[in-house]
Amino acid sequence: MMKTRHLLGLATLAALAGSAAVAQRATGPLTQIARFDHQVTGVAVAADGRRFVNFPRWTDDAPISVAEVLPNGSLRPYPDAKWNAWRNARANELPVGEHFVCVQSIVPDKQGNLWVLDPGAPGNEKILPGAPKLVKIDLKTNKVSKVIPVPETVALQGTYLNDIRFSPDGRIGYITDSGTRGAIIVVDLESGRSWRTLDGHSSTQVDKTVTVTLDGKPLRRPDGRQPMFAADGIAISNNGKTLYYQALTGKTLYAIDTALLAQDVEEQKRAAAVRVVTQTHVADGLWMSKAGVLYLTSPTDYSIKRLNGSAVETVLTDRRLRWPDTFAEGPDGRIYVTASHIQDTQWFTPGAPPSIRTELFSFAPVQ
């Protein structure tokens, strides 16, 4: 019976793989690449131009966690249907270490791999034991080549592994913890060791003076709570020496030398070395382009912005960017961004269906 249910689950998954609608449609500087039937967050573009997206299990038990977006706009479970077979309803049947549970982001390194960051916390709530992990997929073979568990001493209850950036040599990963404590988690990708840095430091925390607004009104849950996410957006300089990060519920962009995030550095020394880059706005995703331009999403005014010295400039504004979330960059330098429609979810819109329509867009880089 278990085998039969598993095969039926994979068949259903394959049938749902066509749930994206192709839409190579440009309006002004923003081109819609695809539209999805579920909430999208992460996007990645490989060196050969292949595009990937991921769907977290926040309010919807998404039928696919990680997918390749095919040229016709349909979705193919990636790397295969088995890794995407986990469901909330089957939580006691499938091992969490061998399946995607609640994928938040997907990021390629410079060594030909796609890394999948799985916080292991469906609904952005309780972490399932053994579920937080990094999954390395070889883009040439389309096979999982390594799984790095993030232990409970690092992924504490209340942690939410949000986004990751890599050192240029592909040996170190830096992850933002946007959960209740806030931190930068560092992972040695060769040994699998991980450790918390700037844990509880003011730079990684929610700024309680900030109110997230949309159309001039505070964004609130039905019980009055507003979004409260700690260290979220993250970017790394092209030489790998500087890490940038910001709390989503915040308006300050911070930076630290990556050398100070090594395991043997005293926390007091790290804390003293954190510097303010500039005052910004409520931002979700950050991206350092190959050209050295730091981009920031701006959900509250449907915009993409960039850093020019210490000034923050608007690149484009488009009402279709309902919560611009995460960036990626194509081999031609074109920038991709997801619209995750957080304000349209059941969290903030009572009576909304669990699944919502979301999009993937792209735009030409700023010259």
Side-chain angles (χ1 to χ4, degrees):
M1 177 62 82
M2 172 71 79
K3 183 176 180 181
T4 301
R5 286 201 305 267
H6 183 66
L7 290 173
L8 286 172
L10 297 188
T12 302
L13 187 65
L16 288 167
S19 62
V22 68
Q24 296 279 355
R25 181 169 60 88
T27 303
L30 195 68
T31 300
Q32 184 174 305
I33 301 299
R35 197 174 189 192
F36 312 109
D37 292 332
H38 300 273
Q39 187 175 29
V40 68
T41 51
V43 56
V45 184
D48 61 4
R50 285 188 294 162
R51 298 171 295 198
F52 305 86
V53 290
N54 74 264
F55 305 92
R57 289 187 168 88
W58 284 353
T59 60
D60 179 18
D61 195 359
I64 301 176
S65 288
V66 180
E68 181 175 356
V69 183
L70 300 179
N72 66 358
S74 64
L75 299 177
R76 178 166 62 196
Y78 193 81
D80 54 39
K82 179 178 179 293
W83 267 96
N84 284 272
W86 199 89
R87 298 289 185 278
N88 291 336
R90 301 181 62 193
N92 296 322
E93 298 177 24
L94 299 176
V96 295
E98 300 174 14
H99 298 81
F100 300 135
V101 173
C102 181
V103 173
Q104 176 62 22
S105 60
I106 49 174
V107 183
D109 61 20
K110 294 181 179 180
Q111 288 70 42
N113 306 294
L114 181 70
W115 288 87
V116 178
L117 182 61
D118 186 351
N124 202 352
E125 295 180 349
K126 184 178 179 180
I127 293 174
L128 302 184
K133 57 187 173 293
L134 269 170
V135 180
K136 179 182 179 182
I137 304 171
D138 186 322
L139 286 164
K140 289 184 179 179
T141 65
N142 299 315
K143 301 292 185 183
V144 171
S145 60
K146 191 171 191 177
V147 178
I148 301 177
V150 182
E152 60 184 11
T153 54
V154 177
L156 312 170
Q157 277 299 342
T159 287
Y160 193 80
L161 306 177
N162 195 288
D163 207 352
I164 186 169
R165 296 294 180 266
F166 302 102
S167 59
D169 62 8
R171 298 179 63 183
I172 302 293
Y174 304 96
I175 301 171
T176 43
D177 175 357
S178 63
T180 55
R181 286 184 57 157
I184 303 296
I185 293 171
V186 185
V187 185
D188 183 321
L189 300 173
E190 295 184 343
S191 69
R193 296 194 322 273
S194 57
W195 57 94
R196 297 177 69 86
T197 70
L198 301 174
D199 185 359
H201 187 266
S202 59
S203 66
T204 61
Q205 304 306 295
V206 167
D207 183 344
K208 295 181 180 179
T209 70
V210 170
T211 298
V212 179
T213 61
L214 282 167
D215 299 323
K217 299 178 182 179
L219 181 63
R220 303 286 189 189
R221 296 192 184 195
D223 62 6
R225 289 181 295 161
Q226 72 155 331
M228 299 292 281
F229 296 106
D232 190 303
I234 187 171
I236 193 168
S237 61
N238 288 328
N239 63 10
K241 293 182 178 180
T242 305
L243 193 73
Y244 300 88
Y245 59 96
Q246 178 173 328
L248 191 159
T249 310
K251 292 187 177 180
T252 306
L253 178 67
Y254 295 96
I256 189 171
D257 294 346
T258 53
L260 294 170
L261 299 176
Q263 192 171 21
D264 58 357
V265 175
E266 293 181 358
E267 190 64 21
Q268 186 175 5
K269 185 176 182 180
R270 289 192 192 109
V274 172
R275 56 189 184 274
V276 172
V277 177
T278 193
Q279 295 301 305
T280 57
H281 54 276
V282 171
D284 195 333
L286 305 181
W287 185 260
M288 181 65 73
S289 73
K290 297 170 187 174
V293 177
L294 183 64
Y295 291 92
L296 309 89
T297 69
S298 182
T300 62
D301 61 357
Y302 312 93
S303 295
I304 304 296
K305 301 182 188 294
R306 72 166 184 171
L307 194 63
N308 185 2
S310 61
V312 178
E313 302 175 341
T314 298
V315 174
L316 63 89
T317 300
D318 193 308
R319 297 284 295 192
R320 293 176 297 166
L321 286 173
R322 291 188 67 77
W323 206 279
D325 196 303
T326 304
F327 289 116
E329 185 171 357
D332 59 355
R334 194 165 183 85
I335 307 297
Y336 292 76
V337 62
T338 55
S340 64
H341 289 242
I342 286 177
Q343 66 266 53
D344 299 325
T345 65
Q346 293 175 331
W347 285 350
F348 301 106
T349 303
S355 61
I356 57 176
R357 300 299 297 273
T358 58
E359 300 89 16
L360 172 64
F361 298 97
S362 73
F363 61 93
V366 175
Q367 302 299 322

